[in-house]
Amino acid sequence: MAFKIFRKNCCGLDIHKTWIYACIGITDSNSRTEYKQARFSSFSKGLRELADWLAKYSCTEVCMESSGKYWIPVFNILEKTCWVTLAHPKYTKPQKGNKTDRKDAKWICDLFMCDMIKPSFIPPPDIRHLRDLLRFRMKLTYQVTGMKNRALNCLTVSNLKLDDVFSDVFGKSSRSIIRQILDYPGKSFDVTPFIHKRCKTPIEEIQAAVDGAICCEQATKLKICLDFIDEQQKRIDKLDSEIFRISEPHTAVLDLIRTVPGFSKEPLTAIRILSEIGADMSVFPTSKHLVSWSGCCPRNDSSAQKVKSTRISRAGSFLKPILVQIANALIKSKDHPEFGERYRRIKPRRGHKKAIIAVCRMLLTAIWNILSKLEPYSANGYLSDKLTEHSVVISKSEGLALLRKRGYIFKDELAGTSS
């Protein structure tokens, strides 16, 4: 069976850590394809030789797999002279048992030639730099959180119950008390001078919470944990200043994103969304494409009239946690009833997790619309009355309940008006 050829001159790359295998497919007017194959080093010199080799055969369309991080240097070099398509490995998986590196490159070239590969979304360089810094910041935050848990473990085994009397064990008052304990281990002291005036916990409870004894080993471990937390926090602050500098050209887009409920309180939240999806929504034809790319919709997996699975995909591993965190807060908000209404409508029959993902989809749809239309967020689309396709008979109490869900508030009629 012959496939229609969409690209007369294209290249497939099979990328490895040390070597890159390339295959160019050149199709003539008689639909006969001639292949040119070569191997290049993954060093910068080899990548420049690859670019020259592609220019020799006038090849400007290249396709490669997203294998680890090895594709990034290749993409950075070829991006300047070629149109590079990055493909998920599941779309380029070859047949087992007849597989070599050169055959893999030829297989990718054939698939790309017949337009059978879905391209992955690659944002512009400035958005890629912003994304890399924000993901690195998230890793640093995880390290700080892990070290805080180890510090809490030191306090727990020493019977210092600071986590019972302070909402933040690493706040100003608690850190002052911990510093006093480490400077004078085994000595009792009055905690009153170390308590901030806004602390609501009674002094007696705090005094009883520090009635413990910390040994030398735990004290040493606790000092190292606190020093690590302070040093990492300095690095995070330095990283934040660089993130704000890079995101400064996108101030208008960030202001639009912050009009969406849940994104205005923390400045970095909108920047994280921008770094993941970019500012140009033309790469996603509809909001459904953005939702699918983010992994916030059920997948299609059915055969012989049997649905095998509707689980969401693993895509959007850096984007979905932000949306889920915001969605859990919005469903309790009285200022934005549209999110709580959708959550309460889905939760009884589908469960909490699926209802939260539905709210995440609402957020992504809103972001796609405001960035596509360059208009601030408005809840009118969610709260406006939707006409039914056919007449529906409901009771008066059901109609009143429906209007209340839409956000309408009933009040008594003015005196003197007819009922």
Side-chain angles (χ1 to χ4, degrees):
M1 181 177 64
F3 290 94
K4 182 179 180 180
I5 296 177
F6 289 86
R7 295 177 176 87
K8 302 294 185 179
N9 188 349
C10 63
C11 177
L13 299 180
D14 186 41
I15 300 174
H16 298 272
K17 181 179 180 181
T18 307
W19 298 103
I20 298 171
Y21 294 86
C23 177
I24 296 178
I26 303 175
T27 306
D28 58 17
S29 57
N30 296 323
S31 299
R32 291 177 298 186
T33 304
E34 180 183 3
Y35 296 96
K36 306 291 183 181
Q37 294 185 329
R39 187 184 75 166
F40 300 92
S41 169
S42 60
F43 292 171
S44 297
K45 180 181 178 181
L47 297 180
R48 288 191 288 268
E49 291 175 354
L50 171 61
D52 295 338
W53 183 71
L54 292 172
K56 175 183 176 183
Y57 292 100
S58 302
C59 181
T60 57
E61 293 187 279
V62 180
C63 180
M64 59 183 177
E65 288 181 345
S66 57
S67 52
K69 296 291 184 181
Y70 302 135
W71 64 270
I72 297 179
V74 183
F75 187 90
N76 293 336
I77 294 293
L78 299 184
E79 184 184 21
K80 304 172 185 176
T81 58
C82 301
W83 179 264
V84 185
T85 298
L86 188 68
H88 194 283
K90 67 181 179 182
Y91 298 124
T92 60
K93 192 174 183 179
Q95 181 182 5
K96 293 183 179 179
N98 188 22
K99 180 180 179 301
T100 63
D101 294 333
R102 294 186 182 276
K103 288 183 179 180
D104 286 348
K106 182 176 179 296
W107 175 250
I108 295 174
C109 179
D110 289 338
L111 292 177
F112 189 52
M113 186 187 304
C114 298
D115 199 26
M116 299 175 66
I117 291 180
K118 293 182 179 180
S120 299
F121 165 57
I122 305 297
D126 57 338
I127 300 295
R128 295 205 300 268
H129 299 328
L130 193 61
R131 174 189 292 181
D132 186 55
L133 290 181
L134 280 162
R135 290 182 179 182
F136 177 57
R137 185 189 186 278
M138 186 177 65
K139 298 296 182 182
L140 293 181
T141 305
Y142 288 164
Q143 293 178 7
V144 171
T145 303
M147 200 58 67
K148 285 183 177 180
N149 291 334
R150 294 181 181 91
L152 285 174
N153 182 47
C154 295
L155 296 173
T156 301
V157 299
S158 303
N159 204 28
L160 298 171
K161 302 292 187 177
L162 294 178
D163 54 336
D164 289 340
V165 294
F166 290 109
S167 59
D168 183 11
V169 181
F170 302 94
K172 181 179 290 187
S173 299
S174 182
R175 283 295 293 267
S176 301
I177 293 175
I178 294 174
R179 195 178 302 112
Q180 179 70 14
I181 293 174
L182 294 177
D183 292 341
Y184 303 97
K187 294 183 179 181
S188 59
F189 61 96
D190 184 15
V191 298
T192 305
F194 304 98
I195 304 302
H196 194 270
K197 60 182 180 179
R198 296 180 63 182
C199 182
K200 299 180 180 179
T201 307
I203 300 295
E204 294 78 12
E205 292 186 16
I206 300 176
Q207 190 70 54
V210 299
D211 187 17
I214 186 169
C215 62
C216 296
E217 293 78 13
Q218 293 296 333
T220 302
K221 180 181 175 182
L222 183 56
K223 287 180 181 178
I224 294 174
C225 291
L226 295 178
D227 291 341
F228 179 87
I229 293 171
D230 294 338
E231 290 296 327
Q232 289 294 80
Q233 192 59 51
K234 291 179 182 178
R235 295 185 180 98
I236 292 175
D237 294 339
K238 184 178 180 180
L239 194 60
D240 287 346
S241 61
E242 181 67 14
I243 289 171
F244 286 122
R245 185 191 66 82
I246 297 177
S247 63
E248 191 173 354
H250 303 281
T251 303
V253 175
L254 292 173
D255 291 340
L256 285 174
I257 295 177
R258 291 189 181 106
T259 61
V260 181
F263 291 89
S264 59
K265 187 173 182 180
E266 177 61 40
L268 278 176
T269 305
I271 301 178
R272 289 178 66 182
I273 295 295
L274 174 66
S275 68
E276 294 296 332
I277 67 175
D280 183 15
M281 290 295 102
S282 62
V283 296
F284 302 106
T286 64
S287 61
K288 294 181 179 180
H289 289 80
L290 174 61
V291 171
S292 176
W293 176 83
S294 304
C296 291
C297 65
R299 63 184 178 183
N300 293 326
D301 189 3
S302 61
S303 179
Q305 298 181 351
K306 293 182 180 179
V307 178
K308 296 182 179 180
S309 175
T310 57
R311 293 176 63 91
I312 59 176
S313 67
R314 296 183 180 180
S317 58
F318 292 93
L319 179 60
K320 274 188 290 192
I322 315 171
L323 298 174
V324 169
Q325 185 178 3
I326 294 174
N328 277 294
L330 284 178
I331 59 177
K332 305 172 186 177
S333 173
K334 296 182 180 179
D335 297 331
H336 306 284
E338 63 271 18
F339 299 101
E341 176 188 343
R342 183 172 179 83
Y343 172 80
R344 288 186 291 273
R345 189 169 68 247
I346 298 176
K347 181 180 179 294
R349 54 190 175 86
R350 303 294 291 170
H352 168 74
K353 293 183 179 179
K354 290 183 174 62
I356 284 295
I357 293 298
V359 177
C360 294
R361 178 170 182 166
M362 288 180 64
L363 291 171
L364 280 176
T365 303
I367 292 173
W368 184 89
N369 278 283
I370 66 172
L371 294 184
S372 299
K373 303 175 183 178
L374 299 180
E375 297 176 354
Y377 172 81
S378 174
N380 294 333
Y382 295 119
L383 297 177
S384 60
D385 295 329
K386 297 181 176 62
L387 299 177
T388 57
E389 297 179 357
H390 56 280
S391 59
V392 179
V393 179
I394 59 176
S395 63
K396 185 182 295 185
S397 60
E398 290 174 340
L400 293 175
L402 180 62
L403 289 174
R404 290 191 183 95
K405 286 184 179 180
R406 297 294 184 188
Y408 292 97
I409 300 175
F410 297 98
K411 63 180 181 179
D412 295 334
E413 296 182 354
L414 298 176
T417 59
S418 59
S419 58

